Amino acid sequence: MPQRRRTRYGRYTGGPDPLAPPVDVTEALEAIAEEVMAGYSPERALREFLRHGSRGREGYDDLARRIAEKRREKLQKHNLGGTLQEVKKLLDDAVLAERGQLARDVTMDDTDRAFREMQLDNLPASTAAAVNELSDYDWQSTDAREKFEQIRDLLGREVLDQRFAGMKQALENATDEDRAAVKQMLQDLNELLDKHRRGEDTEQDFADFMDKHGRNFPENPRNVDELIDAMAKRSAAAQRMLNSMTEEQRRELMELSAQAFGSPELMEQLGELEGNLRSMRPDLDWSGSEDFSGEEGLGLGDGTGAVQDIAELDELAEQLSQSYDGAHSSDIDLEALGRQLGEEAAVSAETLAELERAMRDSGLLRHNVDGSLGLSPQAMRRLGKTLLADAAKQLSARSGARDAQLAGASGEQTGASRPWEFGDTQPWDVTRTVTNALQRSAVEGETPSGRVRIEVQDVEVVETEARTQSAVALLVDTSYSMASEGRWVPMKRTALALHHLISTRFRGDELALIGFGRHALNMDIDELTALPPVREQGTNLHHGLLLAEKFFARHPSMDPTLLIVTDGEPTAHLMPHGEAWFDWPTHPETLRQTLIQLDKVTRRGTRTTFFRLGHDPGLEHFLNQLADRVGGRVTAPELDDLGAAVVGEYLRRRDPGFGDIDW
């Protein structure tokens, strides 16, 4: 019976997971739009979102803080005296063992014993000098001799570990044959680098070298340049580690290094290697240093690794800052991030990068003519839909209704249809519904059977509108107090919700968006959304009413509705030559001009509503007088209710059957 083959499954590593769900850009779009409405550019808003992250997901700033904390911990935990401490302990143990042997050996000549004890008593205080002085000492204790030989072995392994990560462990208990192999590897490496510098090396030279010595290079370089890059980074880190030591520590280590494996040739080859690497990669940091101040000593190899880690942390910090020209999420080294902070950190960064790609590729952001980034019409529609849904929920909660259905009810059909939503009572558009079902069935490969299977997603309903059409002028205060008092973004969210309602559900109506600060200005929804706050005083309601009058004049057959959102009394009016005249508090002439224009607008039968923001008693009294003068009304919603208040007032004015809502 043939043996059944076992199949094992592991994590997918062939690029982006093809089965992973697409990232949800809704939260990103809302956050970016919020920043845009506050006055930031979409590009900066996108950068801010990536920096701060999303709900339950770290942003680049969070990751950068963790990077900085790990860097600080490394410096505060370690010092670079580990090798010197190990050597000193081995030396002390060797001297102690030798003293014990001298004291126990009764056969030794007393003169010889006294001379040896004097040598041990007068050893230099410097560890390096003491080791050098004892290099030719004839040890009487076997244990002492082994301890002293361990010093040379340790130094050799540490010196190699500086340049080749893992050598300290790999060469533990090494034989003479192992050491000879290392010397041969260094010789072959220097020859390869010399040939490469002269431009005489070939791919076969590199392949032969790796076949022979590849086990010493865990980085698995694919060519000689990658080999040089890996080795030069390690060598530069080793130099920065030495630069981080005290002058005394450096001097001690330089003297001790001559004892490595008892082989001066080793140091000569390493010196030649460092010279080759410096000349080939002069752009690396060979002169920097770090301030290690901890209690835990690191040897030469581990210290070099710590300095390399710090360099990698610094590179990640710069990548995460995204503060340089041309910065992009793809610049972040996810492998290095996972190595330093763990897999979850890499997943967070990867998700943010996917969000950025999705935002740029989904059509929600677009490049303007000047090269800047802007919100696309698709983004504006999605945002408007979300804001309108929020307003509908608030309307529903205020009125106690099940759900506020913001569609033209019990009116004439507009000729348009839309997908059915829960709670809709409009009649089905049978033609569109059946067509959708047939198209879906064909895509799903269903065999025609003479019957049509209709699913919920196929259903479209007929849109209706009230029998009358409205011309709606929304005047929004754009004076600086709106921004300084936190009313700037709620004002824009309100305009977006109303714009989406009229453009999608009441297409027969006309909407004018008019901002009034020192001057008034007709704006489309894109302009209003991106409008930054201007530090300029002036509330020119007079100019805003002039523009509203012109708008109503262009639509004489429509019912005029005037909605005014403001947080201050008028302090400016338009002069005949087009300049704005400003004075504070309200000047009688400004008040007179504003009232004249308000009366002119309302003589058209305009229904006027003022939305008062803030709790200024003077403004409350003033707006109440204006409303009484023109038969209008004043509402004072909280900022969170402003969108629902404006949308609800529009619907109430348009269809009295919608019902009064007490705000």
Side-chain angles (χ1 to χ4, degrees), residues 362-552:
S362 63
L364 298 177
L365 300 176
R366 67 177 181 186
H367 286 282
N368 298 320
V369 177
D370 61 0
S372 63
L373 207 60
L375 294 176
S376 70
Q378 178 188 352
M380 299 296 292
R381 287 192 297 271
R382 287 187 59 167
L383 184 60
K385 182 178 180 180
T386 300
L387 296 174
L388 181 59
D390 290 343
K393 288 179 183 177
Q394 290 175 306
L395 282 171
S396 173
R398 297 288 182 177
S399 63
R402 174 183 50 142
D403 267 322
Q405 293 298 318
L406 305 181
S410 66
E412 296 179 355
Q413 296 183 4
T414 65
S417 64
R418 61 177 175 82
W420 176 86
E421 296 176 359
F422 180 77
D424 280 342
T425 58
Q426 286 86 349
W428 284 19
D429 184 325
V430 178
T431 302
R432 290 293 306 157
T433 299
V434 173
T435 300
N436 291 341
L438 290 172
Q439 290 176 339
R440 177 187 49 75
S441 299
V443 170
E444 294 175 356
E446 295 184 5
T447 304
S449 61
R451 296 183 179 182
V452 178
R453 180 171 58 86
I454 297 175
E455 296 187 357
V456 172
Q457 64 263 34
D458 302 325
V459 179
E460 293 197 20
V461 295
V462 175
E463 283 199 326
T464 60
E465 63 178 14
R467 291 181 176 83
T468 58
Q469 293 179 317
S470 297
V472 185
L474 175 63
L475 275 62
V476 290
D477 190 340
T478 57
S479 62
Y480 187 70
S481 62
M482 290 284 288
S484 63
E485 297 297 329
R487 298 160 187 157
W488 194 255
V489 173
M491 172 269 289
K492 292 184 176 184
R493 292 169 66 91
T494 297
L496 267 167
L498 182 62
H499 175 270
H500 187 75
L501 174 62
I502 292 176
S503 62
T504 60
R505 305 295 177 89
F506 295 96
R507 296 190 182 96
D509 287 357
E510 294 289 340
L511 173 65
L513 297 173
I514 301 171
F516 61 97
R518 179 69 68 96
H519 288 85
L521 183 67
N522 279 303
M523 291 180 282
D524 60 32
I525 192 62
D526 293 349
E527 291 176 306
L528 179 58
T529 302
L531 182 70
V534 179
R535 191 179 293 273
E536 183 180 60
Q537 292 180 310
T539 305
N540 198 337
L541 179 58
H542 168 250
H543 192 186
L545 292 169
L546 280 170
L547 296 180
E549 166 64 16
K550 292 180 180 179
F551 167 69
F552 292 140

